[in-house]
Amino acid sequence: MPMVDLLVVGTSVDPHISSVLSRLGDITVCRLDVDRFPRDQSVTLEFSRTGVPKVLVHDGEVSWDVTQPKVAWFRRLGKPGVSKKLHADYKDFVIGETEQTIEGLLSIVNPHYWLNNFWGARQAGNKPLQYATATQLGLALPDTIITNGLANARHWIDDHGEVIAKSISRPLLTAEGSSHGKTFVYTHRLDSSDRKSLAQVRQAPCQFQPLVVPSHELRVTTIGKRHFTVEIRTEDDEPGRFDWRATATNCEYKLGELDPQTGALLSRLLDKFGLQFAASDFIIDGNGDKYFLESNPHGAWMWLEAFVPDLDISGAIASWIMSRTC
């Protein structure tokens, strides 16, 4: 059974994984695709009196011992690949057992190097914890409130004037199979109708921040201690929407720079969570003041490479991996 240089945990449909793997040299790679497990791939976790667990991944006739790979790259989770033949009555149970096994694998494997460990990425993905950590380190965050209390929301909004609402977890509002189809909730400036219907905050916690009218924004993709910075400028035709993600194909992109002080603070933030990779967003107002918005440990980057030809984040990740496996 071959020992593994690189273990990748992600999904089969993630082009970012394929882009990086295509740039690697002659190393042994085990790819565990969550969306193919347990239907098309198998995992074995063995425990014995020796106290040293064994972690195996099987794909067809090939098996890998991934107990101690040189590098483990946790890219992201996805929906488990449950067999379509499974009776619907048992689906939730099987998904629960599968998710526990994946989390167990990611907790037990003991690589020499992590490219984002599972629990660090889980913690970093929690926005309130991320905000608290960022501000403690000295990154400038817009004043923020997360609440489902009507009185607290109304008082805070009245104190801050122009205010935007944004999602806490993800922008997907309704799924493709819903009666509304697939819809997204983007960063939105509150108007008079929003304020009149503010009682809806009781339905779910909502996040509010003061409106920062951007001169431009920065997407900073970090690999190790290198910060690849892209400057983004956009003109959104929809009144009240302040979110370049809604019009990403119409934005202007160019290589940018992150000042050394902010770069050092961002590195410290990622170090706090044990991350080697993240995609971070900053907004710069008309006065040149820079505000940290968020860091995504599972962020995308290939769309940036498409708009900025001199950018090679996939190559940088591959180089990071190769330097730790050879």
Side-chain angles (χ1 to χ4, degrees), residues 29 60 102 114 124 202 282 322:
V29 179
I102 294 171
W114 273 106
R202 295 192 180 110
F282 293 83
M322 289 300 298

Side-chain angles (χ1 to χ4, degrees), residues 44 193-194 246:
T44 300
S193 64
D194 294 320

Side-chain angles (χ1 to χ4, degrees), residues 9-11 33-35 37 74 76-81 95 99 102:
V9 179
T11 64
D33 295 317
V34 175
D35 58 326
F37 172 68
F74 169 54
R76 63 164 65 244
L77 293 180
K79 292 182 179 180
I95 289 176
E99 290 176 341
I102 294 171

Side-chain angles (χ1 to χ4, degrees), residues 44-298:
T44 300
L45 308 179
E46 293 185 12
F47 306 90
S48 66
R49 294 179 182 178
T50 64
V52 180
K54 180 179 289 188
V55 184
L56 309 175
V57 174
H58 319 276
D59 193 340
E61 299 298 319
V62 181
S63 296
W64 294 273
D65 185 336
V66 298
T67 307
Q68 194 172 31
K70 292 179 181 177
V71 174
W73 177 15
F74 169 54
R75 168 67 184 146
R76 63 164 65 244
L77 293 180
K79 292 182 179 180
V82 176
S83 172
K84 294 180 180 179
K85 297 178 181 179
L86 181 69
H87 194 287
D89 289 352
Y90 307 118
K91 186 174 181 179
D92 288 345
F93 174 80
V94 170
I95 289 176
E97 298 294 283
T98 301
E99 290 176 341
Q100 279 281 296
T101 301
I102 294 171
E103 290 185 7
L105 178 149
L106 287 165
S107 303
I108 294 168
V109 293
N110 185 29
H112 298 292
Y113 300 97
W114 273 106
L115 182 52
N116 286 9
N117 74 77
F118 174 68
W119 292 108
R122 282 283 292 269
Q123 282 192 309
N126 183 280
K127 293 288 180 62
L129 176 59
Q130 186 184 115
Y131 293 166
T133 307
T135 53
Q136 288 165 7
L137 291 173
L139 285 167
L141 180 82
D143 287 350
T144 302
I145 187 172
I146 298 172
T147 183
N148 67 322
L150 177 58
N152 290 333
R154 180 172 287 135
H155 178 73
W156 192 93
I157 291 169
D158 289 343
D159 279 350
H160 286 79
E162 292 280 6
V163 169
I164 56 97
K166 58 195 294 189
S167 63
I168 305 167
S169 57
R170 58 179 184 168
L172 182 64
L173 180 62
T174 56
E176 198 165 323
S178 74
S179 59
H180 298 282
K182 194 173 186 179
T183 61
F184 295 87
V185 54
Y186 292 109
T187 301
H188 170 77
R189 177 168 56 185
L190 268 63
D191 57 24
S192 57
S193 64
D194 294 320
R195 292 170 185 261
K196 289 177 182 177
S197 59
L198 195 60
Q200 292 182 17
V201 301
R202 295 192 180 110
Q203 303 300 318
C206 298
Q207 176 178 198
F208 302 103
Q209 292 178 338
L211 172 65
V212 178
V213 179
S215 162
H216 59 281
E217 300 189 43
L218 299 178
R219 165 58 73 97
V220 182
T221 306
T222 302
I223 174 65
K225 299 301 180 185
R226 301 178 66 188
H227 302 301
F228 296 85
T229 304
V230 174
E231 184 178 305
I232 304 173
R233 296 179 184 270
T234 182
E235 295 279 343
D236 198 336
D237 294 332
E238 183 170 319
R241 187 170 62 189
F242 288 82
D243 198 324
W244 57 259
R245 294 174 300 179
T247 57
T249 57
N250 298 322
C251 294
E252 176 187 336
Y253 300 89
K254 68 176 184 179
L255 288 176
E257 292 185 7
L258 189 66
D259 63 276
Q261 181 180 3
T262 304
L265 291 175
L266 179 58
S267 292
R268 289 180 61 194
L269 173 66
L270 302 186
D271 287 345
K272 280 283 187 179
F273 293 109
L275 303 181
Q276 295 292 334
F277 169 87
S280 305
D281 293 318
F282 293 83
I283 189 168
I284 293 84
D285 67 14
N287 297 319
D289 293 328
K290 185 187 289 92
Y291 295 94
F292 169 77
L293 298 180
E294 66 171 313
S295 284
N296 182 354
H298 313 294

